[in-house]
């Protein structure tokens, strides 16, 4: 099997998919622009609606970012507490093992 031909064929298929997706997105953008231009509302009303929707979207994104930030902060605190608990348990085990060794050495002497 000739791998160069296979790879070149696969790469060109991926490139064709990218072209199709780009054309689709361009079509959507052109359709949206035409829809806005031929909207029944006046230009100022349309701009006002677009502005209002953009503000709503920005507010929604800010709320979601803040929620995610708060959630991550809570998770970080939980992980920190869990790590501190594990460290405390490890220190206790180390201390107990050290005491056991010391007791064994003293008992043998």
């Amino acid at each position: 099997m000739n791998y160069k031909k296979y790879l070149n064929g696969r790469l060109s298929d991926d490139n064709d998919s990218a072209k199709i997706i780009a054309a689709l997105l361009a079509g959507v953008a052109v359709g949206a622009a035409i829809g806005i231009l031929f909207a029944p509302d006046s230009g100022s009303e349309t701009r006002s609606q677009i502005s209002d929707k953009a503000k709503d979207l920005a507010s929604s994104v800010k709320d979601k970012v803040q929620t995610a930030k708060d959630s991550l902060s809570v998770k970080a605190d939980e992980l920190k507490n869990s790590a501190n608990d594990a460290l405390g348990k490890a220190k206790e085990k180390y201390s107990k093992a050290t005491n056991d060794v010391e007791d064994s050495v003293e008992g043998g002497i």
Side-chain angles (χ1 to χ4, degrees), residues 76-87:
D77 289 341
E78 289 174 0
L79 284 173
K80 183 179 178 181
N81 291 337
S82 180
N84 286 336
D85 290 344
L87 180 62

Side-chain angles (χ1 to χ4, degrees), residues 36 43-56:
I36 289 172
S44 61
E45 290 174 5
T46 302
R47 286 189 297 274
S48 174
Q49 289 175 354
I50 291 171
S51 174
D52 291 343
K53 292 291 182 181
K55 288 176 185 175
D56 290 344

Side-chain angles (χ1 to χ4, degrees), residues 24-39:
L24 178 66
L25 292 175
V28 168
V30 168
I34 289 172
I36 289 172
L37 289 174
F38 291 104

Side-chain angles (χ1 to χ4, degrees), residues 104-109:
S104 295
V105 169
E106 289 176 4
I109 296 179

Side-chain angles (χ1 to χ4, degrees), residues 64-82:
K64 288 181 181 182
V65 167
Q66 186 62 41
T67 301
K69 189 177 176 182
D70 293 343
S71 176
L72 286 174
S73 177
V74 167
K75 293 286 184 188
D77 289 341
E78 289 174 0
L79 284 173
K80 183 179 178 181
N81 291 337
S82 180

